[in-house]
Amino acid sequence: MAELTTKWKKGALCPVCGGMGFHHVPLGRADTWYRELEKQPQWKRYRGLPENAGVAFSEPRLEWDQPVFDFAPVATQHVRCSVCASLVPPQFLGDAKSRVLLITTGMPQAGKTTWLKCLFNPAQKRHLIAEPTTLIKRDPYYYIEPYTIANPDPRTAIPILLHGMGLTFQRREIGIAGIDIKGEVFHQRTTTPDKYLRVLDILKNLRAMKFAELFVMFVVPFDATLTRQNIGQLGAQLMNEPGARGAWQGVIWTHLDQAQLRSEADLLAFLASSETASALARRVLDGEEPFDSKFVAAASDIERLVQKKRLWAKDLELLESLTWLLYRIMLSYSALPPRFGIGNVEFFYSFQDGLGEKLVGRCMALASALFAAWDGAGRGDFASMIRESMTPGTDMRFPVLPCGLEFLSAGSDGEDGLPVWGDLLLLEILRRHG
Amino acid sequence: MAEFHELHGDYVANTGQTINLREYLDYFEPLGSALSRLPDGSGGPFVHQFTDSGGRTIGSIGWVVSAASKRFGAWTLWGMWTDRPVPAVTLPLFWSALADPSQTPDLVERANAGAERLFDKKRWPDLLKGAKTFRLKDELREPLAAQLEHAWSVPPPHRHSIEVELSPQMLDVLPWLYLLGPVDPAAAQLQPNRFNGAGYQYIFNDQPAPARGGASDAVGELVEAAATDPASAWRIAHQLRTQRGGRPKRPERPSSRTPRVEINDMSREPSPRKPPMLNDLALVGKVLYPVLVLVLLTWIAWNVNTIRKQTAVPSDEPAPTTTTVSPTPAPSTAPDEPSADPRLVRIGTALAARPPRNVRISDAALAEAAKGDANTLARVAIEIFLRRNNCFPRTEVVDGRLSTAEERAIRTCAALQDERLVKNGQPDQPRAITWLEGILGR
């Protein structure tokens, strides 16, 4: 098999330092990486880390290979920036016309890493909805310095991780160049100002890069108490200018599985003005199939009722019941493709003229309305984003990708669990990019 | 002003890792990373020091444990810190109280009360003699000897940590290793994670430490001395260090802001002048050194010349293939060395004699397997399985090590999963060896 090599074009930028020089590096022993790093102080400096601080990564036995810092005598797949010595995934260097930049950020325990891992490698996981499919080919870049996609990250001081994934769907090839920003950077901005400022620089570099689409995803966990700090309270500077061309920012709303049905009666009373919406709620409450010919109308009615109501802060229990209802519908969706004997992607795109897409679209619209209600009942951290998305011309009223973080079997290393509907962003990327 | 201060770090839900030395979180964060996969509460001691970018040196000592129940990779630590390197004698002196977080305030109080003595290296032998709680238990003698043997076998200079594998029950070995090991305790660090610098990284392993042959005389003497008088054992260790590399080296100075490292020479009585005998020896050394260097250079030149002559002669024989052979320890003649499992040796020998068809196995792997090394056998079994089941190219040589590509193949090979030869991505040793035994017996 031919050795993969990475090429870069004139004008390629390093997302970390904005450098324009690159060189190939070979693979070497992972267990000496941290020693070599000592000779590359710029690697830490461009991440806002103190020069003498150690950089930990998976311990204690490192029996895999890792791209090293030496120059490779021949072209390889692995490329480092000549300025900051960062390992730059090939997707950052590929053709700008098929490159999607994906920025994810969220507070600790928001479910960001779990969601990303699901995006990279669902084949290794027991996934509730999107089983491995041959229709979408994923080719993740294996190294997420200083980790690999096969190794979960122990928490470290490193504020950003670069990752890349190639997607092939039918004849389209898309390179997803991703940057994962640790939420602590914003939370601890006064104690670790260097990291905070570096991350701002990196965001500036990213926006200077050419790309087909820019996705900025804020990972926000569901919090019925409204006491948990979220990234929206910290990261206003992350948000794009309203109407920025090619930019798409949204929320990955995680932990929806924690929403509970607080009052059946209150839920039904709230939906009583719409017969179809009440019927849908009743079916879900009775454990029956929620989807029928009136599902789209029913979901639209619920969405309308949620948007119509004001002062949600006084009715948080009802709002939680509605969120529970949404999550139940999402779970029921997961059973549909197998019932028709087809894969998740086929069901989403092609079955009955894209039935899956319509159902998912309705659920996402409902999720957006509910998220906006929670946001309005709380501090309104995402209000600016919501307003922006309501401006004429935007195709989604408020982009919210709902997902649970339902751990199928709790593993000690967090590898076993998966976010329900983790693939939705993937499908959204393909849909928009197509 | 107090020299020592309490140190506390914990994982706070929805906030992340925290430490009361807030601005130094980046320096402490790696400490607990190695414990990620261990259950809650597993961990051990640390002696850690660093110099920040402003030139301030922080020394710390304490205990760090996994807080996996709060979050994967989270840790909790407690102990004390000071504005300079922690005195070498601190770890043994406070060892008995270090693991208990409730004793930390008392620990700090005691350290502050005795700070003057702690920072005066001349008083360290007396302090150590007076430490009633720091005694080497009989059951620790053997493991300590094994660990010391291993540590002393690592050649200087010790720029990187020496890895030490032990079971959680054997943590009591660590302060002794710290005291008697090849790295001067005044400069040594002790951590569960990887680090750059001199010291010891301990790795938890449920299996007993591999036999490394019998203890050398020097190590035996160290352990014997440690059992009776820790201070004298320390002195012997210091002499060994001195013999080995001259005066114990300070860690490399990355910048002019590197902290001063106190070197404990552990001399019985500090003397202002060298005795005449030592002066004579130093003079002889000065004269002999250039002569020895000259002889060595001549010898190297002669060898290089011989090699050049040999390579210049054309040969009809095919060029020798280069095989990477991992260094194997010299065979030990120690009578108490446990012999390898005869079953494993038998399997290893059978593998060397009748390797599976169409699978190439490297000589190094065969040599290791023939010794009955269970780890090598299990890895070789997995590698063979992958090739026989078309999960990995057959043309690739089996080398007893799992490469990245092989690890990927392990994750995707359905046949391997069905046979249940791997557990958590690593070879399930008993099952893998049994499988190997099965195919070799056919």
Side-chain angles (χ1 to χ4, degrees):
Chain A
M1 197 172 72
E3 189 72 28
L4 279 175
T5 57
T6 299
K7 293 175 183 167
W8 56 91
K9 292 186 175 174
K10 195 180 169 188
L13 279 181
C14 167
V16 178
C17 67
M20 298 174 81
F22 302 94
H23 60 266
H24 288 108
V25 293
L27 286 179
R29 285 171 53 180
D31 59 354
T32 54
W33 182 88
Y34 75 107
R35 292 182 193 172
E36 292 180 45
L37 190 63
E38 206 177 35
K39 299 171 205 154
Q40 310 286 342
Q42 70 273 32
W43 192 95
K44 286 184 202 166
R45 196 164 61 239
Y46 274 99
R47 284 160 176 78
L49 290 166
E51 210 167 281
N52 299 336
V55 175
F57 60 123
S58 299
E59 297 265 2
R61 291 290 181 215
L62 305 169
E63 290 185 355
W64 62 83
D65 294 331
Q66 194 95 0
V68 295
F69 291 92
D70 303 331
F71 278 60
V74 292
T76 66
Q77 190 193 6
H78 315 293
V79 174
R80 283 194 185 278
C81 169
S82 299
V83 179
C84 66
S86 297
L87 182 69
V88 183
Q91 287 76 11
F92 279 94
L93 305 167
D95 183 8
K97 286 177 186 167
S98 58
R99 185 198 303 150
V100 172
L101 291 184
L102 170 65
I103 304 174
T104 48
T105 183
M107 290 296 286
Q109 288 174 280
K112 179 168 49 73
T113 306
T114 310
W115 185 86
L116 276 174
K117 276 195 277 181
C118 163
L119 185 72
F120 292 138
N121 226 339
Q124 286 179 25
K125 317 287 181 181
R126 282 171 289 166
H127 198 300
L128 270 187
I129 287 182
E131 72 281 12
T133 174
T134 52
L135 284 185
I136 298 180
K137 182 170 168 269
R138 296 163 209 243
D139 185 17
Y141 182 56
Y142 189 67
Y143 302 97
I144 306 177
E145 194 166 62
Y147 312 114
T148 66
I149 56 170
N151 290 283
D153 60 330
R155 313 301 160 199
T156 76
I158 300 168
I160 51 128
L161 299 177
L162 302 179
H163 54 82
M165 182 168 73
L167 283 182
T168 310
F169 179 59
Q170 293 170 348
R171 287 183 186 173
R172 290 203 303 273
E173 287 187 5
I174 303 167
I176 298 181
I179 181 162
D180 183 11
I181 306 174
K182 227 179 160 185
E184 285 93 328
V185 171
F186 304 101
H187 188 64
Q188 300 165 348
R189 69 175 109 181
T190 50
T191 50
T192 56
D194 286 356
K195 277 200 262 191
Y196 173 68
L197 294 172
R198 285 291 177 190
V199 167
L200 294 188
D201 284 345
I202 290 167
L203 288 170
K204 211 183 291 174
N205 292 335
L206 279 174
R207 285 174 180 144
M209 288 173 79
K210 289 179 179 171
F211 50 82
E213 301 274 354
L214 169 63
F215 288 74
V216 184
M217 300 305 302
F218 301 88
V219 185
V220 181
F222 167 75
D223 171 30
T225 62
L226 289 173
T227 55
R228 190 169 168 179
Q229 195 174 36
N230 70 50
I231 192 69
Q233 291 158 15
L234 302 171
Q237 61 282 78
L238 289 170
M239 294 177 193
N240 291 304
E241 294 294 320
R245 191 175 63 80
W248 189 89
Q249 55 194 356
V251 168
I252 298 170
W253 199 16
T254 60
H255 292 89
L256 286 193
D257 50 303
Q258 290 180 12
Q260 292 179 21
L261 176 64
R262 295 288 175 183
S263 165
E264 200 175 313
D266 288 352
L267 178 65
L268 290 173
F270 175 73
L271 300 175
S273 60
S274 165
E275 200 176 311
T276 52
S278 301
L280 172 62
R282 261 190 231 102
R283 285 200 301 280
V284 172
L285 288 167
D286 296 341
E288 294 172 12
E289 168 67 59
F291 302 107
D292 63 5
S293 59
K294 293 178 183 170
F295 171 78
V296 172
S300 301
D301 276 356
I302 300 175
E303 183 193 337
R304 183 178 49 79
L305 289 169
V306 170
Q307 285 179 331
K308 196 175 154 192
K309 179 171 166 53
R310 293 284 176 267
L311 295 174
W312 272 111
K314 292 178 182 170
D315 289 302
L316 289 183
E317 290 203 344
L318 172 61
L319 196 53
E320 189 174 356
S321 297
L322 285 161
T323 311
W324 172 88
L325 181 69
L326 166 71
Y327 189 65
R328 294 295 111 189
I329 294 170
M330 286 165 59
L331 285 182
S332 301
Y333 173 90
S334 69
L336 288 181
R339 191 187 304 166
F340 292 106
I342 54 175
N344 175 61
V345 177
E346 296 94 318
F347 184 76
F348 186 87
Y349 280 115
S350 52
F351 182 73
Q352 290 189 5
D353 205 17
L355 176 62
E357 189 174 5
K358 286 178 194 140
L359 299 180
V360 166
R362 276 298 89 209
C363 288
M364 284 173 71
L366 178 56
S368 301
L370 287 170
F371 184 88
W374 279 108
D375 186 67
R379 293 174 26 164
D381 309 307
F382 289 92
S384 60
M385 259 172 64
I386 294 170
R387 273 198 302 276
E388 179 200 332
S389 63
M390 301 284 270
T391 54
T394 45
D395 63 346
M396 289 191 73
R397 271 186 290 174
F398 184 60
V400 173
L401 299 179
C403 53
L405 275 179
E406 193 159 298
F407 286 83
L408 302 179
S409 68
S412 59
D413 55 5
E415 275 189 303
D416 294 339
L418 273 184
V420 177
W421 281 27
D423 267 10
L424 276 177
L425 180 64
L426 198 62
L427 298 176
E428 184 61 25
I429 288 170
L430 288 170
R431 190 184 71 80
R432 288 181 64 89
H433 201 70
Chain B
M1 195 182 151
E3 284 279 0
F4 292 95
H5 315 271
E6 279 191 44
L7 180 67
H8 292 286
D10 204 356
Y11 187 85
V12 178
N14 307 324
T15 299
Q17 201 68 57
T18 60
I19 196 157
N20 61 339
L21 269 172
R22 286 174 60 191
E23 65 274 33
Y24 294 113
L25 177 63
D26 286 343
Y27 295 90
F28 283 98
E29 200 145 14
L31 264 183
S33 70
L35 310 169
S36 314
R37 290 176 187 277
L38 298 176
D40 231 29
S42 307
F46 66 86
V47 179
H48 178 37
Q49 70 180 52
F50 57 85
T51 303
D52 72 6
S53 45
R56 184 186 181 192
T57 296
I58 303 279
S60 60
I61 183 170
W63 207 267
V64 58
V65 298
S66 164
S69 65
K70 292 181 181 173
R71 199 185 183 199
F72 174 69
W75 48 257
T76 302
L77 68 75
W78 58 88
M80 55 189 180
W81 67 271
T82 176
D83 254 316
R84 46 177 150 167
V86 171
V89 80
T90 316
L91 182 70
L93 280 185
F94 293 98
W95 177 253
S96 59
L98 216 53
D100 183 358
S102 65
Q103 292 194 41
T104 302
D106 178 48
L107 199 79
V108 174
E109 203 179 310
R110 278 167 49 206
N112 279 323
E116 198 183 331
R117 285 185 298 157
L118 276 175
F119 285 108
D120 182 357
K121 65 181 179 183
K122 291 172 194 164
R123 298 166 82 171
W124 288 352
D126 293 337
L127 279 172
L128 208 54
K129 273 182 188 168
K132 297 275 185 276
T133 52
F134 191 61
R135 290 285 173 261
L136 183 65
K137 295 173 195 161
D138 284 344
E139 63 267 27
L140 285 183
R141 281 182 174 216
E142 205 177 317
L144 175 62
Q147 298 296 0
L148 282 174
E149 192 66 42
H150 163 59
W152 278 98
S153 71
V154 178
H158 301 294
R159 292 196 184 95
H160 304 292
S161 54
I162 298 172
E163 287 182 7
V164 175
E165 283 190 52
L166 41 73
S167 64
Q169 295 77 30
M170 286 291 137
L171 278 175
D172 283 340
V173 164
L174 289 177
W176 293 100
L177 179 67
Y178 175 79
L179 211 59
L180 308 179
V183 184
D184 191 294
Q189 300 199 54
L190 177 68
Q191 296 174 27
N193 61 298
R194 285 169 195 278
F195 56 94
N196 285 314
Y200 310 93
Q201 181 206 354
Y202 55 92
I203 299 164
F204 288 120
N205 187 351
D206 285 336
Q207 292 168 355
R212 300 179 196 274
S216 62
D217 290 346
V219 165
E221 192 188 351
L222 268 179
V223 175
E224 280 306 314
T228 50
D229 179 10
S232 70
W234 191 358
R235 194 174 298 114
I236 294 169
H238 173 71
Q239 282 166 359
L240 280 175
R241 281 180 217 122
T242 314
Q243 284 168 10
R244 221 182 182 204
R247 196 172 169 78
K249 285 185 180 173
R250 295 165 184 239
E252 285 187 354
R253 299 170 76 101
S255 69
S256 58
R257 286 168 174 168
T258 306
R260 287 186 300 115
V261 177
E262 294 181 55
I263 303 295
N264 168 37
D265 56 11
M266 284 303 292
S267 53
R268 197 177 288 273
E269 285 177 8
S271 55
R273 291 193 323 181
K274 282 184 182 174
M277 179 101 156
L278 281 182
N279 281 336
D280 290 343
L281 280 175
L283 192 66
V284 171
K286 269 186 187 173
V287 174
L288 273 181
Y289 180 73
V291 177
L292 282 173
V293 170
L294 203 63
V295 170
L296 188 65
L297 285 173
T298 314
W299 182 77
I300 290 170
W302 181 76
N303 273 301
V304 168
N305 191 36
T306 310
I307 291 165
R308 281 181 61 192
K309 277 180 186 168
Q310 283 172 356
T311 49
V313 178
S315 169
D316 292 332
E317 290 175 11
T321 50
T322 311
T323 312
T324 309
V325 181
S326 57
T328 50
S332 169
T333 51
D336 56 345
E337 182 185 358
S339 57
D341 186 341
R343 174 179 165 246
L344 299 183
V345 173
R346 197 180 64 240
I347 296 171
T349 317
L351 182 69
R354 302 185 304 280
R357 290 177 61 196
N358 298 327
V359 175
R360 293 191 301 151
I361 306 176
S362 75
D363 293 342
L366 285 175
E368 281 295 305
K371 286 180 196 162
D373 182 73
N375 285 329
T376 306
L377 278 173
R379 285 196 293 264
V380 165
I382 298 299
E383 288 186 281
I384 294 174
F385 188 97
L386 291 173
R387 285 156 180 79
R388 281 168 62 109
N389 289 279
N390 292 326
C391 294
F392 199 75
R394 270 179 184 265
T395 48
E396 295 290 325
V397 179
V398 169
D399 59 359
R401 296 179 63 188
L402 298 178
S403 66
T404 309
E406 282 170 327
E407 282 182 346
R408 260 181 244 156
I410 286 172
R411 289 191 294 274
T412 52
C413 182
L416 191 66
Q417 311 297 338
D418 292 344
E419 285 284 334
R420 291 191 291 158
L421 298 189
V422 287
K423 201 194 290 179
N424 299 327
Q426 291 301 317
D428 186 330
Q429 220 174 71
R431 292 184 69 92
I433 292 173
T434 308
W435 177 84
L436 183 63
E437 190 177 21
I439 62 157
L440 292 174
R442 279 174 208 155

